[in-house]
Amino acid sequence: MFALLSRIHHILNPPKVKKDDHARTLNFGCLGAAKITPGALVKPSHTHPEVNLYAIAARDEKRAEAYAKEHGFQKSYGGENGYQDLIDDPNVHVIYNPLPNGLHFEWTMKALKGGKHVLLEKPATNTAAEAAEIFSLAASKNLVVLEAFHYRFHPAIQRVRAILDSKELGCINKISASLTAPAGTAPDGDIRWSYKLGGGSTMDPGCYTVNVLRYLACSNPTAVLTARAVPYSSRPEHQKVDKMFWATLALEEDIIGELHSNLDEAKIFGIIPRIPKLSATVQCEKGTVEIFNFLIPHYYHSITVSPTGKPRRIEKAYSFNGVWKGEDWWTTYRYQLEAFVDRVQGRAAQTWIGSEDTITNMKWVEEIYAKDGFGSRPTSKYVYRGDSK
């Protein structure tokens, strides 16, 4: 209990560190005043000696100023040209892009065009083709782009993968992954219900289930066997926007994957919120392993290993035990920031999510949408025409 309370205290109140005078400080510029930014970037930056919260841009100038003041950014840009003004600032080294999904492609391409590295919120784009174009441009300019599947950088999910790789439980037969959110998480009118902006359950929590399936299987799907989705509402604008989906996928090595996500899980009796489903279970030849709370394991998680005919055991992994950097209270986002900065600074990262990983994940999100009939999200109208103005 003391360890839990200590972790939560440090997560909510991370100790600020002195900036490293001997290393290049990276000035981060943030596009949009998104709700995810304080947890995903602001608080983790306080404990990284090479990260500086330099500037924030928002469409509303007053909102940008208020956000900068509240979260410690040195500058703000606002108005119709605010995003581009931020990118054009020569003092910005890195762009953090937490904009709505449908804007990821345009503003990541513009950031790369401006010579900036990009930490890009997931899902990276609306289509696999757009993701491929982003990484092609990044490679041509020797710039770093990372799709922010933050959970992948935490010791917990990596421990599950290590158990599977050890073959203690034999070959994998089936993987089930679920991720749900209680009703009201995305209220009516939220961008996550906008088809034009890349909304939908499969795009939001669903992209995590596809990712964790592929990561734990250490292989890729070969086909979507079944897929079913339910629209957010009966209104015409929501007919292609799913609030929940189920899918069964065939993977290499004869593995079956079962996925489910729900961005609007109904309350019990209409009044009692349901406990979110945050688990992944791997059934193997010689037993099973389940991780509870793979999404935000820094608060609390459990890894339950059940070998056939042997006692069950429960493991936890909050740090790399000195093998790599990290504290027990580091969040998934803090581990992610460590890896991202290492790559930008030319150092080896503890783990990484490469271009093919991102492109393939988006491909199978699209394949699920194709199977359930909802179709891919709209392709961006932005066209990159080279670096000329």
Side-chain angles (χ1 to χ4, degrees):
M1 179 59 69
F2 176 78
L4 172 63
L5 294 176
S6 177
R7 276 199 311 278
I8 293 175
H9 172 75
H10 283 93
I11 288 169
L12 298 178
N13 304 280
K16 293 187 178 182
V17 298
K18 182 180 178 181
K19 298 307 177 183
D20 189 344
D21 295 332
H22 301 289
R24 179 175 66 126
T25 298
L26 298 176
N27 288 333
F28 275 64
C30 179
L31 296 174
K35 293 180 181 178
I36 193 176
T37 304
L41 176 63
V42 174
K43 288 185 177 179
S45 75
H46 293 165
T47 65
H48 201 300
E50 298 169 38
V51 174
N52 179 47
L53 297 178
Y54 179 71
I56 176 80
R59 299 295 191 186
D60 185 300
E61 187 172 354
K62 290 185 178 179
R63 186 183 182 196
E65 291 175 355
Y67 199 93
K69 183 177 181 180
E70 179 181 2
H71 297 295
F73 287 90
Q74 295 172 224
K75 297 182 65 175
S76 65
Y77 291 96
E80 184 178 344
N81 297 318
Y83 293 169
Q84 191 60 56
D85 290 340
L86 172 63
I87 291 171
D88 289 341
D89 188 327
N91 293 316
V92 172
H93 306 120
V94 174
I95 294 294
Y96 172 55
N97 185 352
L99 295 171
N101 302 334
L103 300 179
H104 283 181
F105 175 74
E106 175 182 355
W107 289 101
T108 298
M109 292 294 285
K110 287 180 176 178
L112 293 171
K113 180 178 179 178
K116 317 298 185 184
H117 305 283
V118 182
L119 178 57
L120 175 60
E121 276 303 332
K122 73 284 137 197
T125 52
N126 278 0
T127 69
E130 289 178 343
E133 191 171 347
I134 281 175
F135 283 103
S136 176
L137 180 59
S140 72
K141 290 177 167 290
N142 196 31
L143 293 169
V144 175
V145 176
L146 173 64
E147 184 183 24
F149 274 113
H150 54 100
Y151 82 98
R152 289 269 296 270
F153 297 86
H154 196 273
I157 196 67
Q158 294 188 37
R159 175 55 188 154
V160 177
R161 174 73 173 265
I163 292 169
L164 295 170
D165 289 346
S166 74
K167 298 301 181 183
E168 171 192 353
L169 302 175
C171 295
I172 298 171
N173 293 327
K174 185 170 77 172
I175 301 175
S176 302
S178 298
L179 193 54
T180 64
T185 300
D188 198 24
D190 191 279
I191 59 172
R192 284 168 286 189
W193 303 128
S194 169
Y195 174 71
K196 291 182 179 179
L197 291 176
S201 181
T202 310
M203 289 288 285
D204 199 289
C207 72
Y208 280 102
T209 65
V210 175
N211 194 272
V212 75
L213 169 67
R214 295 176 46 252
Y215 177 69
L216 294 181
C218 198
S219 65
N220 286 313
T222 56
V224 179
L225 303 177
T226 66
R228 180 169 68 91
V230 176
Y232 172 58
S233 79
S234 59
R235 297 199 295 269
E237 65 267 27
H238 291 145
Q239 290 310 293
K240 294 183 178 181
V241 181
D242 54 311
K243 70 175 180 179
M244 67 182 84
F245 90 99
W246 299 261
T248 305
L249 284 72
L251 289 86
E252 300 159 1
E253 309 298 329
D254 296 322
I255 298 171
I256 294 295
E258 295 180 344
L259 307 179
H260 170 59
S261 78
N262 190 338
L263 192 51
D264 192 51
E265 192 162 38
K267 296 178 180 179
I268 302 171
F269 303 123
I271 55 174
I272 305 173
R274 295 180 185 271
I275 298 174
K277 297 180 180 68
L278 304 162
S279 63
T281 302
V282 186
Q283 298 180 17
C284 304
E285 292 176 315
K286 302 176 184 178
T288 65
V289 57
E290 177 182 6
I291 179 169
F292 168 75
N293 197 12
F294 71 87
L295 183 65
I296 46 173
H298 43 270
Y299 284 108
Y300 176 82
H301 68 270
S302 62
I303 302 168
T304 304
V305 186
S306 304
T308 303
K310 297 180 181 180
R312 184 184 69 173
R313 70 178 189 271
I314 296 178
E315 298 186 16
K316 296 179 176 64
Y318 290 100
S319 73
F320 292 107
N321 296 318
V323 177
W324 201 264
K325 295 178 185 177
E327 303 287 346
D328 284 356
W329 49 267
W330 273 21
T331 65
T332 53
Y333 298 106
R334 179 59 180 85
Y335 278 109
Q336 175 180 262
L337 186 63
E338 188 74 24
F340 179 76
V341 170
D342 280 342
R343 284 295 285 260
V344 171
Q345 299 282 46
R347 301 187 294 259
Q350 188 275 329
T351 194
W352 195 246
I353 299 173
S355 58
E356 286 306 313
D357 197 337
T358 292
I359 294 165
T360 301
N361 210 72
M362 199 62 243
K363 171 188 174 182
W364 289 102
V365 168
E366 288 194 273
E367 291 287 348
I368 291 170
Y369 271 137
K371 188 72 173 182
D372 63 31
F374 278 53
S376 300
R377 311 295 87 177
T379 300
S380 174
K381 295 181 180 179
Y382 175 76
V383 177
Y384 174 68
R385 302 187 186 281
D387 289 350
S388 59
K389 294 290 186 181

